[in-house]
Amino acid sequence: MEQFVVTGGARLGGSVSVLGAKNAVLKHLVATLLAPGSHRLENVPGILDVHIMCRVLEHVGASCAIAGSTIDIDVPVHLRPEAPIDLVRQMRASILVLGALLARCGEARVALPGGDDFGSRPIDMHLGGLESMGATFDLVHGVLHATAPDGLIGADVHLEFPSVGATENLLLAGVMARGTTTIGNAAREPEIQDLAAFLGAMGARISGAGTSTIVVEGVPSMSPAIHRVVPDRLEAGTYLVAGAITGGDVTVTDCVPEHLRMELRKLVEAGCEVTTGDDWVRVVGPERPLPVDFATLPYPGFHTDMHPQMVALLTLASGTSVMTENIYSARFRYVGELNRLGAEVTLEGQHLIVRGVATLSGCPVDACDIRAGAALVLAGMVADGYTTVVDAQHIDRGYHDFVPKLASLGAEIRREDVPG
Ligand code: UD1
């Protein structure tokens, strides 16, 4: 067990680059299962979730060789179509193998997913969509047995909500289905566009990715491909808020500013100076943030995975902000931890009322999940004294070199083993 120890007070300055998006590369890894042969993914972050997904692929029969930010994946002709409980429990994205294995093998056995504790996170839309494509499901001792003995057949699927995972599972299932699959009310996230680009390089015929209607014309087979993963807008956004909260001056490079449009707009409303170039964003933080109201929404709305970091910033605002969480029913465990640091945040249904305070005061807090952990580190950087963020492995799931990158910007932060 490790923890991060942060000493508050330093204004961050300088520039930091980001790698490929966790929420893209995990799906790209699954997509490789669709075509036997040697694939290569570049710009891959060395994060825990990537290692877990590689273990899922290895269980299925593929081999993954990681060298720096490149992964070579070798996919055999014959696969073992199952994802074991110990891996699926650690990472909800493992459910994506369902669509890919059904497409490749006509069957899949996948334990029901775990992942972050954000309240109930059902997979009904994944299953409903796959059922309309000819799959049948049976739950046996917590393991979902999926079969499509006659292969998957293209279908019109209209999602009740633009779920990222369901859209991706249906894309993976549709690329080799017989006929045309149309995904209505599809998620429009840049990571989905990037998955479609990788699948396109593998030979898939997909149009409309990035819009609410994606059309997939099934092809009989796919071939291996090389792909550079889209930059991580959440990693980029987190370092930008780190600059903002410390009243610093931080530039994030190798990112796509367009993918952070709503988050940057809210930083401007909070009093930050924001400038952008083709592949960089610079944020100069205010002496004290202004209060801002915002609501999380599917892309292009404000990303739910940036909400804890933004709330950390607003704890120090010169007034009261209201945040509405529309994606998850229970993404609020970290609020109690922020309040231990002296913040005044109250939960009213799906709304957080954030009353700005003049100072925070360091103490031990629990990372809770990836983004909450990052937000608590950011709060620690402006808290009086030092803040210990325990359960730091949550942060390692999503951020490559979090401590060295923040330290390179001037943060006083170190990683240490939990005593005892
Ligand atoms: C992905 C991201 C996650 C991000 C989320 C929303 C990955 C690995 N994770 O998660 O970081 O927070 O998108 O941008 O890419 N839902 C259902 N039934 C379903 C599917 C989803 O009710 O069948 C609900 C979920 O419980 C949640 C909401 O829909 O409340 C959004 O979920 P979804 O968009 O599917 O998120 P994930 O793909 O799980």
Side-chain angles (χ1 to χ4, degrees):
M1 292 283 275
E2 290 181 313
Q3 59 191 21
F4 294 165
V5 182
V6 193
T7 307
R11 277 180 197 258
L12 299 202
S15 133
V16 68
S17 65
V18 296
L19 281 165
K22 166 182 96 70
N23 287 352
V25 68
L26 297 178
K27 330 301 170 59
H28 298 14
L29 284 166
V30 173
T32 64
L33 295 175
L34 291 167
S38 301
H39 304 257
R40 171 168 286 186
L41 294 173
E42 297 167 347
N43 202 31
V44 175
I47 52 176
L48 195 56
D49 274 14
V50 165
H51 291 277
I52 297 173
M53 191 56 97
C54 285
R55 284 176 59 206
V56 173
L57 261 59
E58 282 162 1
H59 184 91
V60 169
S63 63
C64 300
I66 304 179
S69 57
T70 298
I71 304 189
D72 286 311
I73 308 106
D74 213 41
V75 177
V77 173
H78 296 292
L79 301 178
R80 171 157 59 149
E82 63 173 35
I85 182 88
D86 57 319
L87 297 176
V88 179
R89 246 202 209 123
Q90 289 177 54
M91 194 180 59
R92 181 181 158 85
S94 326
I95 194 71
L96 268 297
V97 298
L98 203 54
L101 290 176
L102 270 171
R104 246 317 274 296
C105 312
E107 60 170 326
R109 293 179 295 281
V110 180
L112 283 184
D116 295 309
D117 181 14
F118 292 167
S120 153
R121 290 177 77 179
I123 53 166
D124 52 318
M125 284 185 262
H126 299 239
L127 303 189
L130 292 170
E131 256 170 7
S132 29
M133 297 177 71
T136 57
F137 298 99
D138 205 7
L139 187 62
V140 184
H141 301 302
V143 176
L144 205 57
H145 288 228
T147 49
D150 302 322
L152 293 171
I153 303 150
D156 279 358
V157 182
H158 194 87
L159 297 176
E160 196 178 315
F161 178 90
S163 153
V164 173
T167 302
E168 292 165 337
N169 231 335
L170 295 171
L171 254 182
L172 293 166
V175 287
M176 290 203 294
R178 284 199 309 281
T180 303
T181 302
T182 304
I183 311 170
N185 198 21
R188 292 183 282 165
E189 268 65 5
E191 293 76 21
I192 290 179
Q193 297 178 47
D194 200 51
L195 175 62
F198 179 45
L199 290 168
M202 291 172 67
R205 298 180 64 188
I206 300 168
S207 60
T211 75
S212 296
T213 306
I214 303 180
V215 179
V216 189
E217 283 176 52
V219 294
S221 64
M222 313 257 288
S223 12
I226 299 175
H227 182 77
R228 187 174 173 81
V229 181
V230 67
D232 196 321
R233 58 195 166 118
L234 301 170
E235 189 192 8
T238 301
Y239 294 126
L240 293 171
V241 177
I245 198 170
T246 60
D249 180 349
V250 166
T251 300
V252 173
T253 60
D254 299 327
C255 62
V256 184
E258 172 69 18
H259 293 168
L260 281 161
R261 194 191 282 181
M262 190 56 73
E263 292 76 12
L264 295 180
R265 184 192 291 187
K266 291 296 164 182
L267 285 177
V268 169
E269 283 181 29
C272 297
E273 263 176 56
V274 176
T275 33
T276 58
D278 282 350
D279 64 350
W280 57 267
V281 182
R282 177 181 176 201
V283 166
V284 180
E287 275 310 308
R288 187 168 187 190
L290 299 168
V292 172
D293 294 344
F294 72 105
T296 64
L297 284 169
Y299 188 80
F302 194 102
H303 201 309
T304 176
D305 291 358
M306 280 298 298
H307 121 204
Q309 301 90 312
M310 190 70 189
V311 167
L313 173 70
L314 296 174
T315 59
L316 291 161
S318 54
T320 298
S321 310
V322 179
M323 195 287 304
T324 304
E325 171 56 57
N326 289 309
I327 310 296
Y328 296 114
S329 57
R331 185 169 207 165
F332 302 112
R333 255 186 68 205
Y334 75 98
V335 168
E337 303 301 297
L338 266 185
N339 286 346
R340 278 154 57 78
L341 292 169
E344 286 185 21
V345 184
T346 47
L347 177 62
E348 302 278 348
Q350 291 302 107
H351 310 283
L352 290 183
I353 317 298
V354 188
R355 290 183 186 81
V357 296
T359 53
L360 298 176
S361 148
C363 70
V365 288
D366 189 323
C368 307
D369 65 68
I370 307 176
R371 309 302 165 187
L376 290 163
V377 167
L378 302 193
M381 292 192 317
V382 278
D384 184 36
Y386 67 89
T387 298
T388 309
V389 181
V390 302
D391 276 344
Q393 72 281 0
H394 285 298
I395 300 173
D396 293 333
R397 284 188 52 201
Y399 293 91
H400 176 71
D401 277 350
F402 195 54
V403 168
K405 281 185 176 179
L406 285 173
S408 77
L409 294 171
E412 279 195 54
I413 178 167
R414 65 176 194 278
R415 173 192 283 273
E416 64 179 32
D417 288 332
V418 175

